[in-house]
Each structure stands twice: as structure tokens, then as C-alpha cells.
Amino acid sequence: MTRWAMVADLRRCVGCQTCTASCKQANATPPEVQWRRVLDMEVGEYPAVKRVFVPVGCMHCDEPPCMHVCPSTATKKRPDGIVTIDYELCIGCSYCAIACPYQARYKTDRASFAYGKATVQETQAFNPKRLAVATKCTFCVDRIDAGLAKGLTPGIDPEATPACVNSCISQTLSFGDLEDPHSNVSQLLAENQTFRMHEELGTGPGFYYIWDKKQGDASA
Amino acid sequence: MNDNFGPKPWHQTNWDFRAAFNFMFGSAGAGLLVAVAISGAAGNALRAEMLLGMALIGAGLLSVWFEIGRPLRAMNVGFNPFTSWMTRESFAAGLVFALGLAAVWFASLHLAQAAALAALVFAYCQGRILQAAKGIPAWRVPALIWLVFTTALAEGAGLFVALAVLADTPARGALGYFSLALIARVLAWSIYRGGVAKAAVRPALAALDRAGKMLVQLGTVAPLALLLVGWFVPEVARVLMPLAGVAALATGWQFKFVLITRAAYNQGFALPHLPVRGTR
């Protein structure tokens, strides 16, 4: 079996928002919709102040609350762990958006464009099916499926890898198969200390945050 | 809420007053159907009150219909009875309307009682809908289910008592049921308040406390006092009892309005650890 997951190394992220821009370009999301965004946090008090940049989005949970509450079965989880939305089934009730503890879902009632009038790219990428329904990060599922069909490896081959991961300038984001012990993400999880967002809720996010090396490796 | 790092929670923007109306009207309508069934009403009184109860539930559902993005696909709401309490609510509503309309047609108390059972399920589903929303700490507290449920009973009983006075002085049994529903609601509020204190953020708690204060003082103590005075001074009962009923109804409605539109903060993001950068 395969379990696609994403890992963000918080020590590396510089908050450049390239992943956000890349996602917007790849998925043609309208203004104010960011399937991949980066939180810019300032913690501590002067002079001991730190800035932390945290990429967030759909966590593609093992037990997605959005899927359980969805009355129309528009939200589904694939066997490989990717949580999808069927835009043809969704009624736009936003119950999933309320149920998501990660504020990963959006609903846009009307078409809107960055500069008022649609640009060429926005015109080409505009999808009316996405209006007035729930939308969110798909882990670029189309790229993954198309890449797999060509025999490529998601997370390794850029053509089969989510756009945000491809664009990351600091190699903060990694993508791969958790079930494969030799995959890049499995290696990262084995070597580092990680946490998942709001783990106490039991949603089982498929998005891990690295914050330090494992204790035994600290001096390495 | 905790010592984690992260941006502060903010209020959800997905459900507004239209969603709140569903919980306000729907529960009052369901509660009214239950009160009618318990009262043993018959004939035109049964018909009128059953119709009003169903109209309230229908108004709530219509209000939600105005909120959904794709109203022409509304029937898709019934596709997920396996896990979605919203689907189950819609099934319960369908049953309420089928049995309720049959009860009205035949003026049958037995059918009205069957409709009341479906209405109880409907009210329970409304509680579960909110509790299943993991993204809202003030809603996912299990005790909220019973608060929403008992609020439906109290609102419906209050409405029934207020309407009954128009025709005659309500039976003692109806007043007893109303009093019990009020006490159950305030107990459920107390239990919920204890649970939500650990989960919700300060602005949500402040909104809930203001609404809860109204629920206790104007929605419980005042109606019970009015009922007591009406009991001992029957001459003023016809004035006091509708007041008691309306107070129970109005405070229940304002509580749910606040719950949906003022206390529904998410939990933001929280980092249990900060990244360790550089050499050590």
C-alpha cells in the first residue's frame, strides 16, 4: 500500500511564500484562496524573539473530519491517503470547512480574479465547477496520477510531485510514500523529531513538521 | 487554551445567521411537536400546533437552503447516512413531515406521537451536527448534544404553553412538563459550561457566558417564577404563562444564535515545539 504524505522542515523554511505562489499558479485558485499558505509567526519577547514560518494546508488526514461530516459524499479519501472533493456532488454547505481543524477549506461563491479582469492564465485555468463548492489542496493529485502512469516516483520526479514541493527554494517541503521505509519522507521521519498539527484531535494528519534532529543525532 | 505557539483563533466565517436560524427554528418546531404529542391535544388544536411545528422546522431548513452554494443540488444532502449527522437530520425531517402531515390529515394523536418521536431524533441530530464539527472547540464538547436537545424541548414547551393560553389555561401536566424541560435545559447548560471552559477560547467563553446568563435568569428562573405565581394566583395566570413561554423560547433562540455566530472560534494553529536552528 501507499500512503502519500508531506513533511515540512521548520528549521529550513524562510517564509518566501514561493510554495504559495506556485500552488496558486498550478491550481489557478482565486484571490484570497490559498491551498498552500505559510504562517509567519513571531514568538517570544525582545530580545529573545524568533520568527517561525509554518506551511499549512489540507493535512490529508487518516480520519478526515471533513469526510465524515460531508452529507453528499463529495469528500472522499483514496486508498493512498489523499482526500479529494467531487465538485459535481458538493452542495456547498461548508460543513466540511467548519469541521476541519486546519482551516484548509475554501468556498468562493463568485468568480474573482487578481486584477479584476481575468488574465490569460486565469481565463485558461478558470473552472466554473469550483464555484460555490468546497475546495482545498489536492496534493496535486492529477500530477501524481499522471506521473505514476508514466512510471515516475512522486516526491522524486518533479513531474509527479506537488507543485509546492517542486518550487520550495530551501527544500523545506518533501513529499513521498510513508509506507515505503526507503522513501525520502520515511528517512526524514526516522532521522528527526516531528509533530503533527493538533494531533490530540485524532485526525491523523498526513503532514509532518520537523523541528529538531533526533536526540542521539544532535551532535551529528 | 494552552501554552503552544501559534496564531490566535479567529471566528469561523462559513456559517452565518442562516445556519443559526436552522438550529433556532428547527429545535423550537421539534420541541413543539413533542409538547403537542405529550399534551394529548385533539382536533383542530392538534392540527394547528402540528402545522406550526412543521412550519418552523421547514423555515429552518429553508434558511439553510439559502446559505448553501449549490441549492439545486440540495437533494445530495441525503447521500451519506453512514457518517453524516446532517444527512441523518434531513432523513429525520422527512419523517417528521410525512408523519406530521398524516397526523394533521387524520387528526390522529397516535400519528402525532410518532411524528414527535421523529422530532426527537431531529433535535438529537442537530446536537450531533454541531458536536461533530471538530474545527470549533466550543461545539465539539460532548455535553453540547444534550444542551441543544433539551433546549429544543424547553423552547417547544414554552411555545406550547404560550399558544395554549390563547385557547384556555394550559393543563397542569403541560405546565409540569414545561418546568421539567426548563430545569433539564439549565442543568445541561451547567454541564456544558463546565466542559467548554477547558476547550474554548476566551472570547467564545465570554459570548457564551452572556448568553448563558440570559438562559439562566430570563430563560429559567423568570419563567419558573411566573409559573409559580400563576399557580397560586389563577387570575393573572393567563398573562404570566405566555410570558413564561416566550421567555423560554426567546432565550433559547438567542443562545443558539450566539453559539453559531459569536462563539464559533476555531483553534487556530499550535506548534508544540519551535524549530531548533543552527549548531548546539
Side-chain angles (χ1 to χ4, degrees):
Chain A
M1 286 294 288
T2 299
R3 184 10 171 151
W4 298 119
M6 200 169 281
V7 175
D9 189 339
L10 295 180
R11 300 166 303 177
R12 285 175 166 269
C13 186
V14 295
C16 67
Q17 309 277 353
T18 309
C19 54
T20 305
S22 171
C23 173
K24 287 193 77 69
Q25 196 280 332
N27 294 295
T29 54
E32 297 183 22
V33 173
Q34 296 181 348
W35 290 354
R36 168 71 60 241
R37 52 195 172 119
V38 181
L39 307 177
D40 183 343
M41 302 181 191
E42 190 175 282
V43 294
E45 285 184 23
Y46 178 83
V49 178
K50 273 190 172 186
R51 276 178 88 187
V52 186
F53 306 104
V54 186
V56 294
C58 176
M59 304 281 168
H60 295 273
C61 303
D62 291 330
E63 292 293 334
C66 54
M67 181 182 77
H68 295 314
V69 302
C70 175
S72 67
T73 65
T75 297
K76 294 185 182 75
K77 194 180 78 163
R78 306 197 329 172
D80 60 7
I82 296 179
V83 177
T84 60
I85 301 172
D86 184 337
Y87 300 136
E88 302 278 0
L89 277 179
C90 181
I91 62 173
C93 66
S94 298
Y95 191 13
C96 54
I98 296 266
C100 173
Y102 307 106
Q103 289 79 55
R105 288 179 168 242
Y106 298 86
K107 189 175 86 171
T108 311
D109 288 322
R110 284 171 214 86
S112 62
F113 305 100
Y115 300 102
K117 195 179 169 189
T119 61
V120 174
Q121 199 272 344
E122 284 173 327
T123 305
Q124 286 172 350
F126 180 68
N127 182 357
K129 287 181 185 173
R130 281 203 210 146
L131 288 177
V133 297
T135 70
K136 66 165 190 74
C137 158
T138 65
F139 267 176
C140 288
V141 68
D142 295 342
R143 296 167 70 93
I144 292 172
D145 289 346
L148 285 171
K150 290 180 186 172
L152 302 175
T153 305
I156 303 295
D157 297 303
E159 199 180 331
T161 301
C164 56
V165 178
N166 281 339
S167 69
C168 181
I169 62 164
S170 58
Q171 294 187 330
T172 293
L173 295 174
S174 302
F175 184 78
D177 180 9
L178 270 188
E179 295 294 315
D180 175 4
H182 303 296
S183 72
N184 52 351
V185 292
S186 294
Q187 295 293 321
L188 283 169
L189 296 185
E191 292 163 8
N192 295 289
Q193 298 192 73
T194 61
F195 64 86
R196 294 185 288 179
M197 193 70 75
H198 303 323
E199 197 145 17
E200 72 282 2
L201 297 179
T203 53
F207 200 115
Y208 293 76
Y209 294 98
I210 294 174
W211 62 279
D212 196 8
K213 280 185 183 294
K214 284 224 164 128
Q215 286 303 324
D217 299 334
S219 58
Chain B
M1 189 169 61
N2 57 39
D3 296 327
N4 290 337
F5 308 100
K8 287 179 182 168
W10 61 95
H11 203 278
Q12 62 86 17
T13 54
N14 291 291
W15 283 3
D16 59 16
F17 68 93
R18 291 168 292 187
F21 282 177
N22 182 37
F23 293 96
M24 292 155 64
F25 298 155
S27 70
L32 179 59
L33 296 183
V34 174
V36 172
I38 289 174
S39 75
N44 285 338
L46 174 91
R47 286 191 166 110
E49 284 163 345
M50 290 292 292
L51 282 173
L52 178 61
M54 287 186 286
L56 281 168
I57 292 174
L61 295 174
L62 185 68
S63 176
V64 167
W65 186 74
F66 282 120
E67 184 162 52
I68 65 174
R70 298 279 188 163
L72 297 181
R73 294 181 194 165
M75 295 309 284
N76 293 6
V77 78
F79 287 178
N80 190 13
F82 306 106
T83 61
S84 175
W85 285 98
M86 192 177 272
T87 298
R88 292 167 186 167
E89 181 207 33
S90 71
F91 286 5
L95 206 54
V96 167
F97 288 125
L99 292 167
L101 288 172
V104 169
W105 184 264
F106 296 110
S108 161
L109 183 60
H110 290 307
L111 283 169
Q113 287 166 341
L117 280 178
L120 285 173
V121 175
F122 177 84
Y124 179 74
C125 287
Q126 289 210 324
R128 293 300 297 253
I129 285 174
L130 292 177
Q131 198 267 332
K134 280 198 173 180
I136 311 293
W139 294 0
R140 64 181 184 231
V141 177
L144 182 62
I145 298 167
W146 299 108
L147 178 56
V148 171
F149 186 77
T150 53
T151 302
L153 299 182
E155 286 171 16
L159 187 55
F160 178 81
V161 166
L163 291 171
V165 172
L166 297 176
D168 199 0
T169 306
R172 289 186 170 191
L175 295 177
Y177 168 69
F178 179 37
S179 306
L180 283 177
L182 289 175
I183 292 166
R185 180 172 72 170
V186 82
L187 282 176
W189 155 250
S190 169
I191 295 167
Y192 168 73
R193 181 62 184 81
V196 80
K198 297 172 204 138
V201 291
R202 209 169 292 158
L205 283 178
L208 286 171
D209 279 343
R210 281 192 297 274
K213 199 173 169 185
M214 299 269 277
L215 202 67
V216 173
Q217 294 178 353
L218 275 178
T220 310
V221 176
L224 287 174
L226 291 171
L227 288 180
L228 207 60
V229 173
W231 184 278
F232 289 110
V233 192
E235 300 79 42
V236 293
R238 285 179 70 91
V239 178
L240 298 185
M241 284 178 188
L243 281 177
V246 168
L249 178 68
T251 52
W253 279 6
Q254 70 89 31
F255 179 81
K256 270 175 282 189
F257 188 81
V258 166
L259 185 68
I260 308 294
T261 64
R262 302 282 183 274
Y265 283 79
N266 61 39
Q267 66 185 91
F269 293 93
L271 308 185
H273 305 282
L274 291 177
V276 179
R277 301 190 185 105
T279 55
R280 287 178 294 177

